[in-house]
């Protein structure tokens, strides 16, 4: 029922508060102040254990100048789960966009999330080994996992390669990756 709400949070015109204008940045004001509130209502995949699950960003909490906590309501859940300090760099981003990559965004060695064959919609990270044009599909390999949870959850064997379609792939980038990169490039 929430599907129609998908793009409500994307308010692209925010004249009231320019987050970082060039003039302010050039004059030595050190601000890597990201306003993530525009991402409320955005469809995402969020990490729970080894896997990513679909949900919607419900709330953004500013804890410090660079600290942001994000509440995600997972599909089928009644209470949101809060992710602390989502702007901190880490090996696996805790929250990624529920976005299917274009074929030109996928190449050998790309790390993407792949939808698993399971009763509940869930995604696992995998590496792209090959791209086939006819038909358009991608050979991916799930990384080996010592406890074998990937195999039991998805039916896929751990470390096995398999062909998947583009619709099963998701980019492993947080929704605000471009804004964050842009803010970090500003002269200080």
């Amino acid at each position: 029922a929430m599907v129609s709400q998908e793009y409500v949070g994307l308010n692209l015109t925010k004249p009231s508060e320019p987050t970082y204008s060039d003039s302010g940045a050039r004059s030595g004001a050190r601000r890597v102040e990201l306003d993530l509130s525009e991402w409320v209502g955005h469809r995402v995949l969020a990490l729970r254990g080894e896997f990513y699950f679909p949900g919607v960003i419900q709330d953004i909490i500013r804890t410090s100048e660079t600290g942001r906590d994000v509440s995600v309501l997972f599909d089928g859940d009644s209470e949101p789960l809060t992710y602390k300090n989502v702007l901190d760099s880490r090996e696996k981003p805790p929250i990624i966009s529920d976005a299917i990559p274009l074929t030109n965004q996928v190449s050998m060695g790309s790390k993407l999330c792949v939808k698993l064959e399971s009763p509940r919609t869930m995604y696992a990270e995998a590496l792209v080994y090959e791209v086939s044009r006819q038909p358009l599909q991608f050979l991916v390999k799930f990384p080996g996992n010592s406890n074998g949870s990937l195999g039991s959850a998805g039916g896929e064997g751990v470390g096995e390669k398999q062909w998947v379609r583009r619709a099963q792939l998701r980019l492993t980038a947080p929704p605000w990756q471009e804004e964050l990169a842009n803010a970090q490039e500003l002269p200080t």
Side-chain angles (χ1 to χ4, degrees):
M2 293 288 289
V3 179
S4 59
Q5 301 287 316
E6 203 164 329
Y7 297 108
V8 173
L10 295 179
N11 178 7
L12 298 175
T13 53
K14 298 195 76 171
S16 55
E17 39 170 343
T19 320
Y20 34 78
S21 65
D22 275 347
S23 57
R26 301 269 185 275
S27 64
R30 284 200 60 166
R31 285 174 63 84
V32 183
E33 186 77 26
L34 276 191
D35 177 15
L36 299 186
S37 62
E38 61 197 40
W39 296 105
V40 171
H42 186 69
R43 293 282 311 168
V44 293
L45 302 176
L47 196 59
R48 293 176 92 164
E50 295 286 315
F51 305 102
Y52 286 93
F53 293 88
V56 175
I57 292 180
Q58 267 217 325
D59 195 16
I60 309 284
I61 305 103
R62 182 186 186 278
T63 55
S64 69
E65 190 173 340
T66 56
R68 299 289 182 281
D69 293 353
V70 175
S71 296
V72 175
L73 182 64
F74 289 96
D75 296 355
D77 285 6
S78 54
E79 291 294 318
L81 191 64
T82 299
Y83 289 80
K84 303 277 187 197
N85 297 318
V86 297
L87 297 181
D88 293 356
S89 62
R90 43 182 79 123
E91 191 184 343
K92 269 188 182 182
I95 297 171
I96 61 176
S97 277
D98 190 355
I100 298 170
L102 299 171
T103 305
N104 63 10
Q105 293 175 292
V106 182
S107 57
M108 282 174 59
S110 297
K111 187 188 278 187
L112 296 166
C113 275
V114 178
K115 187 176 182 194
L116 300 174
E117 303 284 333
S118 69
R120 184 165 183 188
T121 304
M122 55 200 286
Y123 297 79
E125 278 193 338
L127 283 174
V128 176
Y129 270 72
E130 201 177 316
V131 178
S132 163
R133 298 281 170 186
Q134 294 291 358
L136 187 58
Q137 53 184 1
F138 307 88
L139 185 63
V140 299
K141 182 179 180 183
F142 297 97
N145 187 330
S146 55
N147 60 13
S149 61
L150 195 60
S152 60
E156 282 90 359
V158 177
E160 279 182 20
K161 293 180 187 172
Q162 78 179 71
W163 289 100
V164 295
R165 302 282 185 176
R166 193 169 69 88
Q168 293 168 267
L169 300 178
R170 295 296 183 274
L171 293 168
T172 54
W176 41 82
Q177 178 170 329
E178 199 170 336
E179 286 79 1
L180 186 60
N182 192 36
Q184 288 169 343
E185 283 167 15
L186 291 176
T188 52

